Amino acid sequence: MTPPSIQGVQLPNSKEPGYSSIYRNAKYPDSLQPYETSEVTTLFESFERSVKRHPKHDCLGHREYDKNAKIWSPYVWETYEDIQTRRNNFGSGLLSLFEQLASVHKHLLTLLT
């Protein structure tokens, strides 16, 4: 199925100073569409559902640019499972840094009182 030439339409009078207009799916410009399923109501839930259903499918890809040859490489893909692992590791790292910072902050407060 070929996507429509226009995929999003601007809602009238939705632009405000400092903000872009609001856009809706061109197929349903007059109303918001219900969720795909009742168990998916957030982006997180949508991603987790995709990991569960298609762990080995391509999720995120990139292409390298060779400056000397002036060509792009083929896509290198990571699976949903790979991206979930990277996300979890990144989140764990942030939490660890936060806990370390909180511990240092608590120790400094103890020294100052």
Side-chain angles (χ1 to χ4, degrees):
M1 181 167 119
T2 304
S5 59
I6 298 174
Q7 295 184 10
V9 294
Q10 180 180 351
L11 294 182
N13 306 315
S14 64
K15 184 162 176 51
E16 295 182 15
Y19 298 92
S20 70
S21 299
I22 296 172
Y23 287 80
R24 282 208 178 134
N25 186 326
K27 191 172 178 181
Y28 309 102
D30 298 322
S31 64
L32 294 175
Q33 294 304 298
Y35 297 115
E36 180 183 334
T37 65
S38 60
E39 74 265 8
V40 175
T41 59
T42 66
L43 184 58
F44 175 82
E45 292 169 350
S46 177
F47 179 76
E48 289 299 305
R49 182 172 184 242
S50 296
V51 173
K52 186 176 180 180
R53 291 176 138 199
H54 311 289
K56 303 293 185 195
H57 285 203
D58 293 342
C59 173
L60 187 63
H62 73 278
R63 295 171 63 182
E64 303 273 333
Y65 185 70
D66 184 335
K67 292 179 184 179
N68 296 327
K70 297 183 180 178
I71 58 170
W72 290 95
S73 71
Y75 276 96
V76 176
W77 290 96
E78 293 181 78
T79 66
Y80 279 96
E81 198 171 55
D82 295 335
I83 298 303
Q84 181 186 45
T85 299
R86 288 183 62 189
R87 183 214 46 206
N88 291 346
N89 290 343
F90 183 74
S92 293
L94 287 177
L95 181 60
S96 177
L97 288 172
F98 174 77
E99 289 172 343
Q100 291 172 30
L101 182 62
S103 176
V104 168
H105 182 71
K106 184 178 178 182
H107 180 69
L108 288 174
L109 286 175
T110 306
L111 292 174
L112 294 173
T113 57

